[in-house]
Amino acid sequence: LFRSPGAMAPAAAVPASKRRRLAGAQPVVVVGVEQLGQTFAWGLLRLGRPVFPVLRGASLQDALEACPEPEAVVVAVPEEELGGVLKSMPDAWKNDVVLM
């Protein structure tokens, strides 16, 4: 496995004290797990953070029922889909949205 000098350490390299702190962490919802969303989700997972992915075409309301209180909702969709995603964003998540 090739790793660039600035690459992140694998999750196993996260100190045990930090893993314990993150064990009860709320997941980060990632809407649009394609190029940018996938990279962002992968980075969060490598840091030991729980990630709840929402794939294209999935209902945000169904995702809300499965993950009602995320730490953040990362929206990483193409620009032409952004309006539709934001219109269908559940009210409970609107204060936690991070746009990529």
Side-chain angles (χ1 to χ4, degrees):
L1 179 70
F2 173 77
R3 180 180 293 171
S4 66
M8 291 184 291
V14 175
S17 61
K18 190 169 186 177
R19 282 197 308 266
R20 281 192 296 276
R21 235 184 13 247
L22 296 175
Q26 290 297 98
V28 175
V29 173
V30 178
V31 180
V33 188
E34 292 177 20
Q35 292 171 325
L36 187 58
Q38 180 181 13
T39 301
F40 195 85
W42 187 69
L44 286 167
L45 288 170
R46 290 195 64 175
L47 292 172
R49 302 306 306 255
V51 172
F52 186 90
V54 179
L55 304 177
R56 178 179 287 179
S59 164
L60 291 179
Q61 190 60 42
D62 289 345
L64 172 67
E65 291 172 16
C67 185
E69 295 182 10
E71 183 174 347
V73 179
V74 177
V75 178
V77 298
E79 189 174 350
E80 59 271 7
E81 296 178 22
L82 184 59
V85 169
L86 293 178
K87 283 181 185 175
S88 63
M89 186 66 59
D91 289 338
W93 285 357
K94 287 186 178 178
N95 287 332
D96 300 317
V97 171
V98 177
L99 300 177
M100 296 309 241

